[in-house]
Amino acid sequence: MKYISTRGGVAPQSFEDVVLTGLAPDGGLFVPDELPRFSAEEIASWRELSYTQLALKIIAPFVDGAVPEKALKDLIDKSYEPFRHRAIAPLVQSGHNEWILELFHGPTLAFKDFALQFLGHLLDYLLERRGQKAVIMGATSGDTGSAAIEGCRRCDNIDIFILHPHNRVSEVQRRQMTTVPGANIHNIALEGNFDDCQNMVKASFADQSFLPDDRQLVAVNSINWARIMAQIVYYFWAALSVGGPQRPVAFSVPTGNFGDIFAGYLARKMGLPVAQLVIATNANDILHRCISANDHSRRELVHSLSPSMDIMVSSNFERLLFDLYGRDGKAIARLMDAFRQNGDFRLDESALAAARQLFASHRIDDERTVAVIAEEFERSEYLLDPHTAIGLEAGRRCRRDAATPMICLATAHPAKFPEAVQKAGHAGAPPLPHHMADLFEREERFQVLPDDLREVQAFMAGHLST
Ligand SMILES: *Cc1c(COP(=O)(O)O)cnc(C)c1O
């Protein structure tokens, strides 16, 4: 299987190259030139498989021999071994034909563990085989950083540097990053805001001369193809659990960068009967405006109670646009150029109509988010995190029929977002799971650095493993 860029300016690449690069050199995102397709009979035959057995079925065709099957199986087993639930991704019924898919039983209590545990092991395996080392650099305002650090903590061939804005991430989120031991793990608290962190990462990717010749940067943000791929698995898993593929299902997905929900879109293209995908956004609603009113204009960032979805632009949306425009890379390059210049574009009517056949969208503000958390707790004593609350509510508002199961993705554990939970009327913070109960006593390690590219790069060059 070959991978092509959404902007059409790159020769087809192998899986290995795509995983080790992240962004395509023409500025586009990598997608497979052709997807594997599974028949209903084949999908139905997977009903008895465990999560990791199912993951192997779905991931193997994308990897296409780049990792031998036995080694791939080991990587998958290692990735999901630390999850604290036997089912890995359990379903909980939350209403009539309505389900919550709990994706927060991984080491950092958010769905990003599904992809980043696997990506860490995969990168380490590929680098070991090549006799190379690589450097992961990323900026985070929350979940990505901790999940990436947990994913790389046992990787001998990777040094990881995660930048967060000093004093501007929640204490739980900071501690989840800074208390992970390991000589290859480096947390940098930058004296700046999240944009400053991101600009520093972008500048470093653009000019990597501060690193020795034998090291390159690898991107592990949600544009990395392997992350999307690993997320496809739980759509199949959940559908199989509620009667798929004989019965179509709908999903509601709390969405920021469109990585998670794009995996659901791919699952459908691979043969899973998915009747509807609901894009659930907070006040940062560029995707909701685009689907509902053809308004894809960049607006100011709003700091919400669901911070992991606080984005101005949704990077993975380009992958959907590529399909909506008949996989015409030139058309996407033009659209993205226009967006860079004007902060705005409108979709062709035919593209919009095609999107609306499958996607619905809703925006839920902070006030409603808090009310949903309170209502659900009142009704069933089930405590939602704010992102999941948005997904649940948007699913209810957009649902087309009661006969189709609606599966709402629970992207985080409520203990990660105590502010929203307390606003919903809970005295005190929701307790952390037992294995993390001592998080606030663990020793922290991080380096405060000024918002200065040279200083950050000098720090990184001075802390590489040999
Ligand atoms: C990252 C994240 C999201 C958004 O996921 P995307 O793939 O960016 O759409 C939603 N909820 C939580 C808790 C997250 O960490």
Side-chain angles (χ1 to χ4, degrees):
M1 181 181 293
K2 289 289 180 192
Y3 290 81
I4 54 175
S5 164
T6 50
R7 300 199 191 167
V10 183
Q13 308 271 310
S14 70
F15 176 77
E16 185 163 342
D17 289 336
V18 163
V19 172
L20 289 168
T21 347
L23 199 69
D26 62 354
L29 307 182
F30 284 116
V31 286
D33 61 352
E34 210 173 318
L35 284 172
R37 275 199 66 92
F38 306 117
S39 67
E41 296 74 56
E42 189 170 12
I43 298 170
S45 76
W46 296 340
R47 211 166 267 149
E48 325 173 354
L49 300 185
S50 68
Y51 189 89
T52 49
Q53 288 168 331
L54 180 66
L56 185 61
K57 294 276 183 205
I58 289 167
I59 291 174
F62 289 105
V63 175
D64 194 20
V67 179
E69 182 129 338
K70 168 76 177 69
L72 184 60
K73 179 181 180 303
D74 287 347
L75 293 180
I76 291 172
D77 288 346
K78 269 200 282 191
S79 302
Y80 299 103
E81 201 279 322
F83 280 59
R84 297 276 172 157
H85 197 291
R86 280 187 193 280
I88 313 288
L91 276 165
V92 173
Q93 191 158 15
S94 53
H96 174 64
N97 225 352
E98 180 196 80
W99 307 81
I100 290 177
L101 178 63
E102 292 186 343
L103 300 175
F104 52 70
H105 295 283
T108 72
L109 313 181
F111 88 95
K112 292 190 172 68
D113 290 325
F114 276 84
L116 283 163
Q117 284 291 311
F118 177 69
L119 181 57
H121 289 299
L122 175 66
L123 285 172
D124 204 40
Y125 172 88
L126 296 174
L127 290 165
E128 178 78 30
R129 193 168 69 184
R130 292 172 159 221
Q132 285 178 359
K133 286 181 184 286
V135 180
I136 287 178
M137 183 181 190
T140 191
S141 53
D143 293 344
T144 306
S146 55
I149 287 171
E150 279 289 345
C152 294
R153 65 189 290 184
R154 291 181 190 88
C155 300
D156 298 332
N157 303 295
I158 297 172
D159 293 302
I160 178 165
F161 296 84
I162 297 293
L163 284 70
H164 71 264
H166 189 35
N167 291 329
R168 294 189 198 197
V169 298
S170 80
E171 188 168 6
V172 178
Q173 295 200 318
R174 188 190 71 237
R175 285 181 164 275
Q176 283 192 318
M177 297 191 278
T178 59
T179 60
V180 179
N184 65 332
I185 296 170
H186 305 278
N187 280 283
I188 297 173
L190 196 76
E191 291 174 322
N193 58 27
F194 177 59
D195 279 340
D196 299 326
C197 295
Q198 256 189 331
N199 289 337
M200 199 150 289
V201 173
K202 269 192 204 144
S204 303
F205 269 85
D207 177 4
Q208 303 189 14
S209 56
F210 67 101
L211 292 173
D213 286 345
D214 62 346
R215 304 287 160 101
Q216 59 158 348
L217 290 180
V218 177
V220 296
N221 53 9
S222 71
I223 54 134
N224 191 301
W225 167 255
R227 281 185 63 180
I228 308 269
M229 177 183 78
Q231 291 166 180
I232 298 170
V233 178
Y234 49 71
Y235 286 90
F236 278 90
W237 169 258
L240 280 163
S241 307
V242 297
Q246 273 72 10
R247 190 185 188 201
V249 295
F251 291 95
S252 180
V253 187
T255 305
N257 271 320
F258 206 74
D260 197 3
I261 195 166
F262 186 69
Y265 166 80
L266 293 177
R268 180 171 184 269
K269 287 190 45 164
M270 290 162 68
L272 189 71
V274 176
Q276 186 186 29
L277 289 169
V278 177
I279 298 168
T281 80
N282 64 22
N284 298 286
D285 61 350
I286 185 165
L287 289 173
H288 169 57
R289 284 185 281 114
C290 182
I291 297 294
S292 61
N294 202 2
D295 167 14
H296 188 276
S297 59
R298 184 199 291 266
R299 300 237 177 111
E300 288 275 299
L301 189 78
V302 179
H303 291 281
S304 77
L305 289 173
S306 43
S308 300
M309 308 188 332
D310 289 350
I311 47 96
M312 289 190 292
V313 179
S314 221
S315 47
N316 280 293
F317 195 50
E318 180 169 339
R319 288 187 157 119
L320 178 68
L321 293 174
F322 184 59
D323 277 5
L324 294 176
Y325 279 79
R327 311 206 115 203
D328 176 356
K330 295 226 165 53
I332 298 304
R334 278 197 301 273
L335 210 56
M336 290 300 149
D337 265 348
F339 185 62
R340 205 180 44 228
Q341 283 168 17
N342 316 326
D344 190 354
F345 64 68
R346 288 178 68 78
L347 295 182
D348 288 352
E349 284 305 325
S350 61
L352 187 62
R356 284 176 176 164
Q357 279 184 2
L358 178 62
F359 290 95
S361 69
H362 218 285
R363 159 202 157 117
I364 310 290
D365 64 14
D366 276 354
E367 196 185 334
R368 187 67 201 132
T369 304
V370 167
V372 171
I373 297 173
E375 285 165 20
E376 280 307 301
F377 193 79
E378 172 79 24
R379 198 168 168 84
S380 57
E381 296 197 17
Y382 189 87
L383 191 57
L384 297 163
D385 107 286
H387 306 81
T388 308
I390 287 173
L392 189 67
E393 179 72 357
R396 287 175 179 169
R397 296 206 187 180
C398 295
R399 196 167 182 176
R400 287 182 187 139
D401 70 284
T404 306
M406 173 61 80
I407 300 168
C408 304
L409 272 53
T411 50
H413 188 287
K416 284 196 91 159
F417 299 97
E419 193 189 346
V421 173
Q422 278 165 302
K423 286 212 160 92
H426 281 260
L432 284 158
H434 182 69
H435 67 97
M436 248 185 229
D438 65 344
L439 184 67
F440 288 84
E441 280 95 65
R442 293 183 195 166
E443 189 194 336
E444 286 193 82
R445 274 187 319 126
F446 62 94
Q447 178 75 39
V448 181
L449 289 178
D451 180 16
D452 179 297
L453 185 63
R454 254 170 245 268
E455 281 209 42
V456 170
Q457 293 186 337
F459 176 83
M460 290 175 66
H463 287 82
L464 298 175
S465 57
T466 45

